[in-house]
Amino acid sequence: MAQNSPGFASDCQFWLQKLSVWEQASTLETQQDTCLHLSQFQEFLRQLYEALKEMDSDTIMERFPTIGQLLAKICCNPFMLAYDESQKFLMWCLCCLIKKEPQNSGESERNFWVRGLLCRILSAFRFEVKEVDLFTQALGYEPVDYCPGLLKNMVLSLVSELRENHLNGFNTQSRMAPERVASLSRICIPLVTLPDFKPVVEALLTYHGHEPQEVLWPEFFEAVNEACLLKKIILPISSVISLWLRHLPSLEKATLHLFEKLISSDRNGLRKMEHSIRDSLLPQAACHPAIFRTVDEMFRCALLETDGAPEVLAALQVFTWCFVEALEKGNKQPKFTLKTYFPYASPSLTTVLSQYPKAIPQGHRLQPLLYLAKLLREALEDQIHGSREGPFESWFLLAHFGGWADLAAEQLLSSEAELPAALLWILAFYYSPQDGSQQREQTMVELKGILSHLLLLLRRGPLSAWELQAVASERPRTDPRPPAYDQLVRRLLLTFLFWAPEGHMIAKETITHMARTDEITREIIGFLDQTLYRWDRLCIEGPGSRQLATELLQELRAQV
C-alpha cells in the first residue's frame, strides 16, 4: 500500500483545492462543476478508504497530513453528502482516523474532533437554539419530525409545480420557468437515489414544456439511468419510457448493459435470459416504436458484428417473445400497427410471422408454413432486385420469430407423402441466408435426401445410433460443406431424435457421438435449451421428451 501513498497524496491535494473553490463561491458554475465530479469523487473516496483501512491512524496522519482538512470540507458540502454512497465512504474514512487507545491529549482531541464530524453527518438537523424547538412545537411538530415534514412538503410543492406546467401545456402563465426546471434537474443529480426525492425525479422525467430544446440536464438523465440500471431506484415504466425517449444515450447504454448480462447468462439457459430481459424493462418500453427500433437496430448490429452468433440470435428471439407479450398486454392503450415496428418489411409477412404457432392447431400448420415460404420468397426477390438491404432484411425479420424454422423441420419429419419444397426452402434460407438461388436449390436437394433417408429408417424398423450418424455424414457433393449446412443437418437429426418416440431410445448414444468438440457440444446444449424453452412457451412436447431433454442438457452442461 505504501507505493500508492504518493498518488493518493496528490489526489487529496487536487480534491482539497476543488472543495476550497466550491466552498468559497456557490454559483451556478460551481454547482455545475460539483455535479460533474460527483461520481469521480465518490470513486476517489472508495479507493481512499481501501488505502486507509490498511494503516493505523498515526501512519495515516503522517502520510496524508491534509486528510483531516479534506474530510472536514466534505462534511460541509451537501452535494457530496447527498450523492449515492459518498456519505458512507466518508464515514468509513473518518473512522480510520480514530485512535482506539489514545496515548496523549493530542490523540484524544483528534478522536473528539472526528466524532464531532460523524455526529454532524448523522444529524439531519441540529437544534442548538431553544427558540427553534419552541417554534416547531408551536406548529404542531416535534423537533425530530420537523425536518422530514419540511422535506416532504418541499417535494410535494415541487411536484405540484412541475405537473402544473405539464397540464398548462402551451400556457405561458405556467408557474415554473424553464430556467428553474433546468436548475432543479441539475440540483437533483446527487439526489436521484434518495427515496424522498423519487417523486421529483418522476415529475422531472414526465415534465413537458413548450421549449424547442431539452431543458433538463444531460447529466440528470445519465444519473437517473445509471441508478435504474444498478437498481438503486425503481421507477414506473412511464417514467422510464420518458427517460429513454428524451435521452438516446441512456437507451443505448441500457441496451448494452442488457447485452452484457445476456452474454454472461447464456450458459445458465434461456429462462435466466428471459428474466434478465424482463427485468431490464426494455420489452415493455419497446411498445413505443421509437424505442423498439433503437433496440432492434442494436440487435441487428450485434448479429452482423458476430456473424450471427447463436447466443445473440437466441437473445433476439427471447426479447421478441417478451416484446410481443408486452404488446398484447398493453391493449388498453392505442396500438401501433406492426408496420410501425418493422418499417422495411412486408406488412403481410410481418403479420404472419407475429402469429406464433401456438395460435395454430397442431394439425393445421402446413398451410401457414407454405404461405410463409411464399411471402418470404416474394420479399427476397423484391430485395434482391430493388432494395439496398438485400436478403438480410427478410432473414432478420424471420430471425425474430425463429420458432417457425423449428416448426418447418418438425412438419417435414411428419410428412407421409412428398416432402414440401417450400419447407425445405425455409430451412435452407434460415440457416444460410447469404446463399444464392442456385446454391440454395442444391442445399434443398441434399436436405431432401437426408430427410427421406431418416423417414425410411423410421419405417423400416428399430433405429440405431450408428445408422443415424451415417445419415448425418453423407456427402452427396464433392466440395466441402459450409459450417451452416453441417449445423442444419445436426439440427434435423436432433429434432428427429426428440420428435420420433423411436429416437428416444438411442438419443443419448447418438448425441454422445455427435458431441465430438466443445463447439458442437455447446451447439447441442443450445438446441436442447431452446427446445425446452419453446415447449414451455407453446405448451407442446413429444411423449417422454421433456425428461430426456432435461437430463441430457444437465449432463452436457456438466462437461463444458
Side-chain angles (χ1 to χ4, degrees), residues 529-543:
D529 190 24
Q530 291 171 27
T531 300
L532 287 168
Y533 182 75
R534 189 166 63 89
W535 285 345
D536 287 341
R537 281 287 190 171
L538 303 182
C539 302
I540 59 173
E541 62 175 299

Side-chain angles (χ1 to χ4, degrees), residues 65-331:
T66 60
I67 187 97
Q69 188 180 359
L70 172 70
L71 298 180
K73 285 184 179 294
I74 300 170
C75 292
C76 299
N77 190 302
F79 287 88
M80 298 297 184
L81 292 177
Y83 182 70
D84 200 21
E85 296 182 311
S86 294
Q87 185 180 114
K88 177 181 72 176
F89 293 130
L90 172 61
M91 294 172 66
W92 288 355
C93 288
L94 285 170
C95 289
C96 292
L97 302 185
I98 295 177
K99 185 78 170 181
K100 293 182 179 179
E101 296 181 2
Q103 302 297 318
N104 51 57
S105 60
E107 292 176 351
S108 297
E109 288 178 5
R110 186 171 71 207
N111 282 1
F112 180 78
W113 174 78
V114 170
R115 291 192 180 97
L117 290 178
L118 289 170
C119 289
R120 179 171 184 172
I121 296 171
L122 294 171
S123 299
F125 195 86
R126 300 186 72 191
F127 293 95
E128 297 177 349
V129 183
K130 185 178 180 180
E131 288 76 12
V132 174
D133 289 353
L134 295 174
F135 176 71
T136 55
Q137 290 175 13
L139 293 175
Y141 292 103
E142 291 297 323
V144 72
D145 298 326
Y146 178 74
C147 191
L150 181 63
L151 176 61
K152 182 179 179 180
N153 289 337
M154 181 185 70
V155 167
L156 290 175
S157 177
L158 289 171
V159 170
S160 177
E161 288 187 68
L162 287 166
R163 287 179 177 169
E164 185 171 330
N165 270 36
H166 175 65
L167 294 173
N168 283 342
F170 287 93
N171 186 352
T172 57
Q173 300 300 316
S174 56
R175 290 175 58 191
M176 189 176 289
E179 295 79 10
R180 190 175 173 214
V181 175
S183 177
L184 180 59
S185 71
R186 184 186 69 251
I187 292 171
C188 280
I189 292 173
L191 308 174
V192 294
T193 59
L194 298 181
D196 291 330
F197 273 84
K198 181 180 173 182
V200 178
V201 173
E202 293 179 17
L204 282 169
L205 289 173
T206 55
Y207 163 83
H208 292 285
H210 56 275
E211 300 80 18
Q213 295 181 337
E214 180 61 66
V215 298
L216 302 185
W217 278 56
E219 292 80 7
F220 169 74
F221 290 124
E222 292 170 1
V224 174
N225 192 58
E226 185 71 16
C228 287
L229 296 182
L230 298 177
K231 301 302 178 186
K232 293 184 176 182
I233 182 174
I234 304 298
L235 294 175
I237 187 63
S238 58
S239 298
V240 176
I241 291 175
S242 182
L243 164 65
W244 289 338
L245 286 175
R246 298 175 70 167
H247 193 246
L248 180 60
S250 289
L251 173 58
E252 293 173 339
K253 184 172 183 178
T255 307
L256 290 174
H257 181 77
L258 174 62
F259 283 0
E260 292 173 0
K261 292 182 68 174
L262 295 184
I263 298 304
S264 64
S265 67
D266 175 54
R267 293 192 177 188
N268 295 324
L270 297 187
R271 278 297 176 189
K272 176 77 172 178
M273 187 178 284
E274 179 186 340
H275 175 76
S276 297
I277 289 174
R278 291 187 187 281
D279 193 51
S280 73
L281 298 182
L282 281 168
Q284 301 91 311
C287 291
H288 193 290
I291 292 178
F292 175 84
R293 289 199 294 268
T294 299
V295 177
D296 203 48
E297 184 62 29
M298 294 182 73
F299 268 113
R300 181 199 306 266
C301 293
L303 282 169
L304 289 171
E305 290 177 5
T306 60
D307 197 24
E311 58 269 24
V312 179
L313 189 58
L316 171 65
Q317 291 171 1
V318 175
F319 178 85
T320 305
W321 277 106
C322 297
F323 161 70
V324 171
E325 280 191 353
L327 205 58
E328 292 172 350
K329 288 180 180 178
N331 54 10

